[in-house]
Amino acid sequence: MKAAIFKEQGHIAVEEVAKPKPTNPDELVMRVVRACVCGSDLWWYRGISPRTANTSVGHEAIGIVDQVGTNVHSVVPGDFIIVPFAFSCGTCPVCQAGFEATCPNGGFFDAGDPGLGAQAEYMRVPQADGTVVVVPGGLERAQTFSDEMLANLLTLSDVMATGYHAAATAEVKAGDTVAVVGDGAVGLCAIIAAQLRGAKRIIALSGHEDRQKMAVKFGATDIVASRGQEAVDEVKALTAGWGADAVLECVGSHESTATALSIARNGAIVGRVGVPHGEQVDAEETFFRNLGLRGGPASVRTWDRKILLDAVLDGSINPGQVFTAEYDLDHIAQAYDAMDQRRTIKSLIRVSDI
Amino acid sequence: MKAAIFKEQGHIAVEEVAKPKPTNPDELVMRVVRACVCGSDLWWYRGISPRTANTSVGHEAIGIVDQVGTNVHSVVPGDFIIVPFAFSCGTCPVCQAGFEATCPNGGFFDAGDPGLGAQAEYMRVPQADGTVVVVPGGLERAQTFSDEMLANLLTLSDVMATGYHAAATAEVKAGDTVAVVGDGAVGLCAIIAAQLRGAKRIIALSGHEDRQKMAVKFGATDIVASRGQEAVDEVKALTAGWGADAVLECVGSHESTATALSIARNGAIVGRVGVPHGEQVDAEETFFRNLGLRGGPASVRTWDRKILLDAVLDGSINPGQVFTAEYDLDHIAQAYDAMDQRRTIKSLIRVSDI
């Protein structure tokens, strides 16, 4: 089968590799229908974080169950499933509490292990019963899905659920004024999530015109285009000096975290899903403002099953619009390049037809 | 009138000062019935944090309304009230969200302003309508209260509400396993709070035998007497390696904060009420474990009115037991010394009869 392989900084190749099969009774193998490139893939693509050469890549995919191990009971071959970016046992106290992306028995698809890469024709899914999200209706219904619906469902493997994790951990509730820091695909999905949870006002911090337009389309009521102290001042001005009732941090840099804390109303929670890189948070300032800091790797399966899958299937949300460019697997190098050069918000990879 | 006055490190005097009167229409003056000494008073008493000499002290009191400003509408002279450690406007978005101790329009009683000290025969209460907690039934009912009930009500000015703030911000829910770091009066009250919110198991980290006994009386199911890594290992062993569903941090030191984060289950929230002193929190480790960090100065009025006042009045909680020694105002120097020397958990000051 074909699979995307990381060769070196800035170089992704498509190579012929062995088709994976279940390596233990709990695994399944999925035929990939759609995959995509994540903003976090750019970390190693750009050489900022290390990655072993010749490893298979990708951690976002939807597709059809191809083979199941003897201990997989929740799906059968032919089922249509969403694969979150992390696998998890589904039964431990961490999974039961709804934080399966930090399950100590689980792991990340993007760790470079053979067969786990989602940017491929087939992929292995460990701990299948504790990991996958089943789209009801099976193959028959899946064959009726439009390309738009498939794009929407694909976001439920990561970005839409990650945006929702920001909103859920920030405890966005009906009537809130919410600020969203970051206008990448996750930030844009966080706007959808805030609206889905009933936010009255959504302030998007976005400096890029194409993303501002999409932010408004997704429900943003105000756009703040500046950065740093200027952005803080603008959000304060928009909220009569009080700050936002909830802040969704979707970048992870030192500056964005500082901005997120500064624009939060005393007593508010910053829900963060932007991956931090060595940041420290001042425990004293946050204390005297009663600020909360929550978040981390998203609970994809929990939020998909609780709310997001229904919201996509019934048409109430359309997060698939974050895919502004589409490629086939043979042209995945271009998909990476387009994101690296910011020509697209997020690249979709059309791997196979249903 | 008599008031406790800070003279210098280790020296509290009782002096005759002018009886306060309302300095603006929103204020009231209360005749103090009971006051007490707070663990946080020891910071300046011991010279660890600075304090101006000859300032009036104390920030926890209950008593009878003596005079009201012309714009005070929620109480009349003769009402029996609880005064939280902070005053607040009661109307801004921060107060409305239930975080009145960080109200930008308010302030702390213990800032040294004339007439605001609670360890005195009378005290001023700014922003009375947004600050005080009214005990229903007025003077007539107050006269029926036992000394034990007065002690219980006095904890609602700070420590019981602060312990509850830890449990509320850590989002303790029915069935949880909760760990409480710190065995001072606040940590002990946090145990009561965890039980009140339905915790199934409460692990108290306490190294002092007298406090361990009280912890068990208040609902602790397990005691961990060690500190540092040993304490972490013991809590992990008690929770089958997973850590606690919620952690209440009631100390505020670097070591206690690190312990609190280490004994939290992935996805759990650390609710902190121990005042930090310059600590930094690693934003990366907490992220990859989906740990939440919330808390700050307690929402005394909010929790009193929502749950604690009823729980005290109907006898379901008895937090007044944290007062293990009692003094009159003339002997307040001994009350400070007893706490400084750890001869008492918390010193009650009997200021006047109802």
Side-chain angles (χ1 to χ4, degrees):
Chain A
M1 70 158 191
K2 290 178 189 170
I5 303 289
F6 172 71
K7 304 305 287 183
E8 61 182 350
Q9 182 184 332
H11 182 197
I12 300 287
V14 177
E15 297 185 349
E16 195 66 32
V17 301
K19 180 186 164 187
K21 47 190 174 189
T23 64
N24 70 52
D26 297 329
E27 286 192 359
L28 64 74
V29 167
M30 177 179 84
R31 174 167 65 81
V32 178
V33 170
R34 296 286 185 277
C36 49
V37 181
C38 185
S40 69
D41 292 332
L42 297 180
W43 283 91
W44 45 258
Y45 180 79
R46 291 170 172 165
I48 299 166
S49 59
R51 186 180 188 97
T52 308
N54 297 310
T55 47
S56 60
V57 289
H59 57 266
E60 298 158 288
I62 56 174
I64 305 294
V65 176
D66 183 63
Q67 294 178 65
V68 294
T70 53
N71 198 33
V72 173
H73 303 292
S74 57
V75 289
V76 293
D79 278 347
F80 188 52
I81 59 173
I82 298 162
V83 180
F85 62 81
F87 49 89
S88 48
C89 74
T91 57
C92 75
V94 174
C95 287
Q96 293 295 307
F99 292 93
E100 64 271 13
T102 49
C103 166
N105 300 323
F108 293 102
F109 280 96
D110 199 35
D113 297 308
L116 294 190
Q119 295 160 0
E121 289 184 297
Y122 291 87
M123 69 184 289
R124 281 194 295 128
V125 180
Q127 300 176 308
D129 285 343
T131 300
V132 305
V133 178
V134 183
V135 181
L139 188 58
E140 200 175 341
R141 184 182 188 190
Q143 284 164 338
T144 70
F145 289 146
S146 64
D147 279 348
E148 289 69 28
M149 180 55 81
L150 292 177
N152 286 334
L153 290 168
L154 178 58
T155 66
L156 300 190
S157 65
D158 186 343
V159 283
M160 183 60 231
T162 296
Y164 194 87
H165 197 65
T169 55
E171 305 183 12
V172 172
K173 60 184 190 316
D176 274 357
T177 292
V178 177
V180 179
V181 181
D183 62 1
V186 169
L188 292 166
C189 288
I191 294 170
I192 296 177
Q195 199 183 49
L196 199 55
R197 292 177 66 96
K200 189 183 65 181
R201 196 171 178 191
I202 303 170
I203 303 168
L205 280 72
S206 168
H208 306 89
E209 210 177 322
D210 56 331
R211 291 155 195 240
Q212 291 170 358
K213 278 185 190 153
M214 198 172 286
V216 170
K217 207 169 172 182
F218 282 176
T221 54
D222 302 84
I223 299 287
V224 168
S226 50
R227 296 179 64 156
Q229 188 55 46
E230 211 182 321
V232 172
D233 294 343
E234 282 185 51
V235 175
K236 286 290 185 74
L238 287 170
T239 56
W242 298 104
D245 299 318
V247 181
L248 318 189
E249 202 296 299
C250 306
V251 180
S253 72
H254 184 77
E255 187 192 349
S256 65
T257 305
T259 298
L261 291 167
S262 297
I263 61 178
R265 194 237 313 121
N266 285 4
I269 301 175
V270 174
R272 60 199 179 119
V273 292
V275 179
H277 291 82
E279 275 74 38
Q280 299 278 311
V281 171
D282 185 328
E284 201 168 327
E285 193 217 324
T286 49
F287 182 89
F288 281 106
R289 295 184 53 215
N290 254 300
L291 292 181
L293 192 64
R294 293 187 62 195
S299 304
V300 175
R301 191 183 206 225
T302 292
W303 306 131
D304 282 0
R305 303 212 293 188
K306 199 169 233 170
I307 182 166
L308 299 177
L309 181 55
D310 283 347
V312 158
L313 290 174
D314 72 16
S316 26
I317 63 173
N318 288 285
Q321 297 170 78
V322 296
F323 297 110
T324 50
E326 188 183 310
Y327 304 84
D328 60 22
L329 189 53
D330 288 330
H331 293 85
I332 195 163
Q334 292 171 27
Y336 273 80
D337 184 65
M339 281 183 67
D340 180 43
Q341 301 298 318
R342 288 184 169 270
R343 288 194 307 275
T344 180
I345 296 176
K346 194 169 173 72
S347 296
L348 181 141
I349 311 298
R350 178 187 284 268
V351 180
S352 68
D353 292 331
I354 292 180
Chain B
M1 70 159 191
K2 290 178 190 169
I5 303 289
F6 172 71
K7 304 306 286 183
E8 60 181 351
Q9 182 183 333
H11 183 197
I12 299 288
V14 178
E15 297 185 350
E16 196 65 31
V17 301
K19 180 186 164 187
K21 46 189 174 189
T23 64
N24 72 51
D26 297 330
E27 286 192 0
L28 63 74
V29 167
M30 178 178 83
R31 174 166 66 80
V32 178
V33 170
R34 296 286 187 277
C36 48
V37 182
C38 185
S40 69
D41 291 332
L42 297 179
W43 284 90
W44 47 257
Y45 181 79
R46 291 172 171 164
I48 298 167
S49 59
R51 187 181 188 94
T52 307
N54 298 310
T55 47
S56 61
V57 290
H59 58 266
E60 299 159 287
I62 56 174
I64 305 292
V65 176
D66 182 62
Q67 295 178 65
V68 295
T70 53
N71 198 32
V72 173
H73 304 292
S74 57
V75 289
V76 294
D79 279 348
F80 188 52
I81 59 172
I82 299 161
V83 180
F85 63 80
F87 48 90
S88 48
C89 72
T91 57
C92 74
V94 175
C95 287
Q96 292 296 306
F99 292 93
E100 64 272 13
T102 50
C103 166
N105 301 323
F108 293 102
F109 280 95
D110 199 35
D113 297 308
L116 294 190
Q119 294 161 2
E121 289 184 298
Y122 292 85
M123 68 184 290
R124 279 195 296 129
V125 180
Q127 299 176 309
D129 284 345
T131 301
V132 305
V133 178
V134 184
V135 181
L139 189 58
E140 201 174 341
R141 184 183 189 189
Q143 284 165 339
T144 70
F145 289 147
S146 64
D147 279 348
E148 289 70 28
M149 180 54 81
L150 292 177
N152 286 334
L153 290 168
L154 179 59
T155 66
L156 301 190
S157 66
D158 186 343
V159 284
M160 183 60 230
T162 295
Y164 194 87
H165 196 64
T169 55
E171 304 182 14
V172 172
K173 60 183 192 313
D176 273 357
T177 292
V178 177
V180 180
V181 180
D183 62 1
V186 170
L188 293 166
C189 287
I191 294 170
I192 295 177
Q195 199 182 48
L196 200 55
R197 292 178 65 96
K200 188 183 67 183
R201 194 170 181 193
I202 302 171
I203 303 168
L205 280 72
S206 169
H208 306 89
E209 209 177 323
D210 55 333
R211 292 156 194 238
Q212 291 170 359
K213 279 184 190 152
M214 198 172 287
V216 169
K217 208 169 171 183
F218 282 175
T221 54
D222 302 82
I223 299 288
V224 168
S226 52
R227 296 180 64 157
Q229 188 56 46
E230 211 181 320
V232 172
D233 293 343
E234 282 185 48
V235 175
K236 286 291 185 71
L238 286 170
T239 55
W242 298 103
D245 300 318
V247 181
L248 318 188
E249 202 295 300
C250 306
V251 180
S253 72
H254 184 77
E255 187 191 349
S256 66
T257 304
T259 298
L261 290 166
S262 297
I263 62 179
R265 193 236 314 121
N266 285 4
I269 300 175
V270 174
R272 59 197 180 124
V273 291
V275 180
H277 291 82
E279 274 73 38
Q280 298 279 313
V281 171
D282 185 328
E284 201 168 326
E285 194 217 323
T286 49
F287 182 90
F288 281 106
R289 293 184 54 216
N290 254 299
L291 292 182
L293 192 64
R294 294 188 63 195
S299 304
V300 174
R301 192 185 206 224
T302 293
W303 305 132
D304 282 0
R305 303 213 294 188
K306 199 168 231 170
I307 181 165
L308 299 177
L309 182 55
D310 283 347
V312 158
L313 290 174
D314 72 15
S316 26
I317 63 174
N318 289 286
Q321 298 170 78
V322 295
F323 297 110
T324 51
E326 188 183 308
Y327 304 84
D328 60 20
L329 189 54
D330 288 331
H331 293 86
I332 195 163
Q334 292 171 26
Y336 273 80
D337 184 66
M339 280 183 68
D340 180 44
Q341 300 299 318
R342 290 184 168 270
R343 289 194 308 274
T344 181
I345 296 176
K346 193 168 174 72
S347 297
L348 181 140
I349 312 297
R350 177 187 284 267
V351 180
S352 68
D353 292 331
I354 292 179

